[in-house]
Amino acid sequence: MSTQSNVRVRYAPSPTGYLHVGGVRTYLFNWLFAKRHGGKLILRIEDTDQERSRPEHEAKMMTDIRTLELDYDEGPDVGGDYGPYRQSDRLKIYFEHARKLLNEGKAYHCFCSPDELTQKRDAAMKMGRPFVYDGTCLKLPKEEIEKRLASGEKAGLRFRSPNKSFVLDDIVKGRVEFKEGTVGDFFITRSPREGEEEVAAGIGMPVYNFACVIDDHLMELTHIIRGEDHLSNTARQLMIYDAFGWELPQMAHSGMVLGTDRQKLSKRNGDVSVHDYLSKGYLPDAIINFLVLLGWWPKGDFKPKSGHPEILSREELFQIFDTNGLQKSPAIFDVQKLRWMNSFYLKSISLDEVMERSRRFFESYNEGTLKGLLEERSPEWLKEALDLVRSEVALLSELPEAIDKLFLREPEVDEKFSHVFEDPKAKEVAVIFEKKLRALHGDLTEEAVKALQKETGKDADAKGKVLFMTIRAITTGRTQGPELTKVLPLLGKDAVLGRIDALKREAAITE
Ligand code: GLU
């Protein structure tokens, strides 16, 4: 990581719903870029759409960001030198800037009603043309505008799109040209809605493109990293930078995230709220690792410590992330891959961490019925049991059931169980193993299980699969699973004998 630099980037969510996985990906690109360059990440809440923005959405987004263990340097709750960081607290600033454009003739009042505009938009669509505002209100004489405003008529402010093309030199997309005439005059402040307080006479709430540029400039952002769905906004934003004579930050528009059906990622093709993944027991590090690789790839032949090219720790990402690894092409969100990654992380974190992170799932599992059973056992017992079952599951939320099935509940037989006992040798192995276990003095330790397996093999003249799979099947009901020499000591001699009793009936062993 490099030392302090002037790099300033931002994540600017609109609190109109949950934190989308695509939003988290944008967060990560900016967060990692700031870390890599010793810069600052700013969290800015874009809530000028008062109809759709809600404080509770903002609160939930912040909670999810914290749960993902992500940080930021400046924001509504942590402050900073460039605040306020919530757009609804910055209305005066937007108003001043709108007034400046109005005075310079770069913006004008537009009295067209939403109905009129919809009609014009529909007419353009019918003719297969994109809608470009026809400039009706641009032609209004000054006196008429003043008269209409004085009489209380509502108006929005339209930006006068200059008659020229704009070119963006995008870090990811390369040269992007926005041709003259494709973007008509557009609103920078809305006409105040019924009952809505006017920010200033005749000027309502600022719209996203306007507020965003003003903030990006005043907050001295050096790079804007976001998804290419914002490229169409960029045309308007370039015009606003130009109108104020401001320098453009460097821009990077990465390819979109699509579902496995190659459609835009939405509720239709899977969970899109990061909160859903956290509540299902995905680990923050796995989510981060997975999302950052959707549209970004390390340059060169970096070899992660994990030994797997796609498993990268946060520290490694801090060292190697850069915008030159961002991809133009769309990335596919494959939840199976996320599961795989999560199982990788679940196996590699410490057992204390597994215990801590899975606690809430144990508490809520089966209406809390596991809690009592687990209280009878020591934390060491639970730790060892978790170590055994974590190799079998992918999510934290799947651990309680795995423990319940293997150690606590009456054993259930798997689909291959009865095949095992079609072999008469298997029945003999089961009977001899049970006898030897009954005769065991002392605890059923790992060594004791090994010795019992060995002696059973000798007495039954059996080895390999028929020996080991039979002992597994008659003690657990399963034909595969975690290491039996570790599972049986955790069950204890009495519980194993109880299981053998029940499973002997299933295996049709009558002796
Ligand atoms: N508030 C915008 C959104 O949530 C962010 C736009 C941007 O990154 O410029 O989509």
Side-chain angles (χ1 to χ4, degrees), residues 10-16 23 26 30 44-47 61 87 208-209 212-213 216 224-227 229-230 233-234 237 251 253:
R10 46 75 163 174
Y11 177 59
S14 304
T16 53
T26 300
N30 285 283
R44 184 173 76 221
I45 302 296
E46 301 204 324
D47 60 347
M61 281 180 164
Q87 288 190 328
Y208 154 69
N209 278 315
C212 172
V213 169
D216 286 346
I224 307 295
I225 309 171
R226 59 190 177 192
D229 50 336
H230 283 296
N233 291 321
T234 308
Q237 295 181 6
M251 300 227 170
H253 289 90

Side-chain angles (χ1 to χ4, degrees), residues 107-133:
Y108 58 92
H109 283 101
C110 174
F111 296 92
C112 294
S113 70
D115 284 350
E116 277 171 80
L117 292 172
T118 309
Q119 272 172 25
K120 287 178 183 176
R121 193 167 281 120
D122 290 350
M125 256 179 55
K126 260 190 206 133
M127 294 173 72
R129 290 192 277 108
F131 169 70
V132 175
Y133 181 62

Side-chain angles (χ1 to χ4, degrees), residues 23-71:
V24 177
R25 183 186 75 143
T26 300
Y27 189 110
L28 294 174
F29 290 164
N30 285 283
W31 181 68
L32 293 172
F33 188 70
K35 298 275 184 205
R36 164 82 156 88
H37 293 284
K40 298 256 187 292
L41 173 67
I42 287 91
L43 179 76
R44 184 173 76 221
I45 302 296
E46 301 204 324
D47 60 347
T48 56
D49 182 346
Q50 294 205 312
E51 244 172 34
R52 295 172 60 223
S53 300
R54 299 263 181 287
E56 54 273 27
H57 292 315
E58 179 186 321
K60 279 190 188 146
M61 281 180 164
M62 307 279 257
T63 306
D64 288 342
I65 290 171
R66 275 192 293 273
T67 312
L68 286 167
E69 294 148 36
L70 298 170
D71 58 357

Side-chain angles (χ1 to χ4, degrees), residues 45 94 225 228 285 310 312 354 359 428 498:
I45 302 296
Y94 310 129
I225 309 171
E228 73 173 8
D285 279 354
E310 291 185 276
L312 297 146
V354 178
R359 179 162 308 152
E428 198 185 333

Side-chain angles (χ1 to χ4, degrees), residues 34-224:
K35 298 275 184 205
R36 164 82 156 88
H37 293 284
K40 298 256 187 292
L41 173 67
I42 287 91
L43 179 76
R44 184 173 76 221
I45 302 296
E46 301 204 324
D47 60 347
T48 56
D49 182 346
Q50 294 205 312
E51 244 172 34
R52 295 172 60 223
S53 300
R54 299 263 181 287
E56 54 273 27
H57 292 315
E58 179 186 321
K60 279 190 188 146
M61 281 180 164
M62 307 279 257
T63 306
D64 288 342
I65 290 171
R66 275 192 293 273
T67 312
L68 286 167
E69 294 148 36
L70 298 170
D71 58 357
Y72 42 90
D73 303 285
E74 297 169 28
D77 54 340
V78 296
D81 296 340
Y82 296 78
Y85 293 93
R86 197 177 282 112
Q87 288 190 328
S88 55
D89 296 330
R90 300 172 63 81
L91 297 180
K92 246 181 128 161
I93 300 172
Y94 310 129
F95 163 61
E96 279 161 17
H97 285 82
R99 177 67 77 194
K100 187 166 189 291
L101 293 182
L102 188 64
N103 292 343
E104 290 172 3
K106 292 175 178 165
Y108 58 92
H109 283 101
C110 174
F111 296 92
C112 294
S113 70
D115 284 350
E116 277 171 80
L117 292 172
T118 309
Q119 272 172 25
K120 287 178 183 176
R121 193 167 281 120
D122 290 350
M125 256 179 55
K126 260 190 206 133
M127 294 173 72
R129 290 192 277 108
F131 169 70
V132 175
Y133 181 62
D134 58 7
T136 309
C137 291
L138 178 61
K139 298 173 204 122
L140 295 177
K142 206 166 171 240
E143 304 72 53
E144 184 184 338
I145 298 173
E146 270 159 21
K147 228 165 87 196
R148 288 171 79 169
L149 286 176
S151 74
E153 198 175 332
K154 305 285 183 212
L157 271 195
R158 260 187 207 276
F159 180 80
R160 277 183 81 164
S161 298
N163 295 329
K164 59 178 185 181
S165 300
F166 283 84
V167 171
L168 169 70
D169 189 11
D170 191 88
I171 295 173
V172 184
K173 295 259 148 201
R175 187 180 188 278
V176 183
E177 188 179 353
F178 301 104
K179 287 222 163 58
E180 181 185 343
T182 45
V183 177
D185 297 351
F186 57 91
F187 280 120
I188 51 174
T189 66
R190 273 195 299 97
S191 168
R193 290 181 180 144
E194 268 312 300
E196 188 176 272
E197 204 185 315
E198 291 182 36
V199 178
I203 302 180
M205 287 298 267
V207 301
Y208 154 69
N209 278 315
F210 186 59
C212 172
V213 169
I214 291 169
D215 289 348
D216 286 346
H217 173 74
L218 295 181
M219 294 181 179
E220 295 184 23
L221 295 166
T222 55
H223 297 74
I224 307 295

